[in-house]
Structures are given as structure tokens and as C-alpha cells.
Amino acid sequence: MSRSPIFFFLLAASLAWFSMKHSVNRPPTPDAGEDQEKEPTFREIINIKLIESGEKERLMELLRERLIECGWKDEMKAHCRTLIKKKGRNNVTLDELVHFITPKGRASIPDSIKAELLQRIRSFLVSAAQ
Amino acid sequence: MSGPNDDNHTELSSYFFEDLLDSVIVDIASECHRIARLGLDHNLDEEEEELRLSEEACARVADPSYNGEMNSKYVVDIFGQAHPPVATEIFECMNCGRSVMAGKFAPHLEKCMGKGRKARLKMTRSSTAAQSRHSRGSPVSAYSPYSNSTSAHRLANGSPAAGEPYSNGTSEEP
């Protein structure tokens, strides 16, 4: 019987320590040196406008369609296959695949498609900035 | 049309374009990754592709016959071998021991094993001869391929085996 108060004391102490460590009333952690802007940037505003108006979705569909038409998608899939064959199909991660094809993908975009998309984005920017 | 704004717009446009392009690239990578992991790409294995291509090449090498398959008498397979429409290999029938041609084996078996019409009549004639005396009159005579002289001769003699197809059924001779 003489041990039980000590036991309960230890238990209470550990609980108190635990709750102090993970208190829900803990003050917010200060930013670790990151510039936290309270105001959204112009870029962010435009992004939100793009998404909310549905224009981003339309642009995505347009880009996908153009890239399939010109065979760019097939080239990219073939490029993927070279990596898959090299590494073995069960050893490839999505991350590896993305990093593998991104440089070639960006470089092999036909100029006409790039110009078309840029033109559309720009006209949206002009109308959105007003 | 302010200059700095234009530059800003150009830069921003490029930014958004890159954003869209990256999304498309991730989609494509994701699709390829899924197909690879699930093993849905049947052309992935080099050897398989080689076999498939060589088969196609074989078919194309025999090109005259590839298109002329329908025209020539014999069907040509991918190795260029021609086969006659009726199989010509000769072997021994396991029922009667006669040598038959493979393409004519089925009709031979019909006669041989008693599945066909004529063979059945032959069997009934020899096994149930007594019963067939009165019942088999004119219908049977219509089937007889053999010379009617013998059957006519029999009829004239009042033979009960009138019109039976096989004249070598000796039990009926009076």
C-alpha cells in the first residue's frame, strides 16, 4: 500500500509532462525564416481566376489535344518505355519517370503549339488584369 | 500598352504554360508507370516483339501466295507449305482393317461401324431377317443401288429378301 501513492504520483507527473509537451493551447510556431506574405501575389490571383473561370481546364484540354495530334504524347510514351526497359518494369518509380522525361518533354514541344497556348494565356491575363 | 506590363505578361504566360505542361507530363508518366507496373504493355519484352515481327515477315515473304491464298487451289500456310483440300495420308482403319485415306475416313467409318443409313439397313437385314420379310417391301427397294436384276430375280422366285441392298446376304436364298 505504501507504493501506490508513489505510483500514482509518477503517473500523474508523466501525464502532466505529456500534456505539456503536446498541449492544444500551445502558441503558434514562429516561421522558420520563411517570408510569409499575407497578401496573395498577382500570380496567385491570376491562378485563382484561371481555375475559377474554368479557363485553366480548357487550356489543359487544348494542350492535351494538340500534343496528341502532333505525336508528342507517343514520343513521350516511347521515351518512358526506354527507361522502363532499362530499369525493369517493377523497379521504376513515378518520380524517376517524371524527372526522366521532363527535360526532353519541355524541349520537344512544337513551337506552333507553344505559341498558340501562350497567346491564349496572354489574352486571358490581359482581360483578367483589368 | 505599357512596356513593363507586357514583359510581366510574357513572363507570367510562360510560367502558366510551364505549369500546364508539367501537369501533362506527370499525367503521361503516371499512365506509363501504371501500365508498366500492371504488366499491361504486351510489347515491352524485346523477345516477344522479335517473334511477332518475324512472324509478320514470314507472312510477307511468301507474298505471292499471301495474296493468292484465295486464288490458288491449295491453301498456303505461313511456312509456305501447300495443303490439298482433302487430306491424303493413308492409314489402316482400326475397325475393319482396310487402308483408307484420311480425308475419306469419316464416311468410311459411317459404313464401317454402322452409323450411316445404308450400314444400318445392312445390319438390320442380317440380324432381323425374319421380321423384315413382310414389313420391308417397296420402301427398301427404292434404296437399292445394286443391280435390280438379282432382286427382280428374287422377287420372281418369291424370295422374301426382295430389294435388299446387299446381295451377299446368303441366309435369304431359298
Side-chain angles (χ1 to χ4, degrees), chain A residues 42-43 46-47 50 56 60 64 72-73 77 80-81 84-85 89-90 92 94 97-98 102 106 109 114 117-118 122 125-126, chain B residues 6 9-10 12-25 27-33 36-37 39 41 44 46:
Chain A
F42 182 61
R43 186 198 283 178
I46 295 289
N47 197 27
L50 264 175
K56 193 168 199 185
M60 274 278 258
R64 282 203 187 105
W72 179 91
K73 183 175 179 182
K77 286 180 87 165
C80 283
R81 267 193 225 116
I84 291 168
K85 266 189 202 158
R89 70 174 177 89
N90 281 321
V92 191
L94 184 56
L97 215 45
V98 169
T102 293
R106 284 191 182 153
I109 283 276
K114 187 167 183 178
L117 266 293
L118 284 175
R122 192 187 231 152
L125 281 178
V126 167
Chain B
D6 262 1
H9 282 187
T10 307
L12 213 47
S13 304
S14 296
Y15 169 77
F16 282 120
F17 178 73
E18 290 275 303
D19 190 35
L20 289 173
L21 190 57
D22 284 343
S23 296
V24 174
I25 287 176
D27 282 346
I28 291 174
S30 158
E31 196 182 318
C32 285
H33 180 261
R37 281 299 193 127
D41 188 0
L44 197 61
E46 288 278 9

Side-chain angles (χ1 to χ4, degrees), chain B residues 15-102:
Chain B
Y15 169 77
F16 282 120
F17 178 73
E18 290 275 303
D19 190 35
L20 289 173
L21 190 57
D22 284 343
S23 296
V24 174
I25 287 176
V26 168
D27 282 346
I28 291 174
S30 158
E31 196 182 318
C32 285
H33 180 261
R34 174 185 174 267
I35 287 173
R37 281 299 193 127
L38 294 180
L40 297 177
D41 188 0
H42 297 292
N43 293 337
L44 197 61
D45 200 6
E46 288 278 9
E47 238 179 79
E48 274 182 53
E49 182 119 48
E50 290 275 340
L51 284 171
R52 195 175 55 83
L53 289 173
S54 74
E55 263 184 273
E56 279 182 58
C58 267
R60 248 179 253 121
V61 159
D63 205 87
S65 54
Y66 193 64
N67 289 327
E69 245 184 70
M70 306 308 247
N71 299 336
S72 61
K73 248 195 213 172
Y74 295 157
V75 174
V76 184
D77 63 26
I78 61 167
F79 299 110
Q81 294 173 339
H83 301 281
V86 180
T88 52
E89 191 175 302
I90 297 184
F91 64 99
E92 201 183 275
C93 168
M94 53 286 294
N95 198 41
C96 65
R98 285 208 261 176
S99 55
V100 293
M101 213 166 81

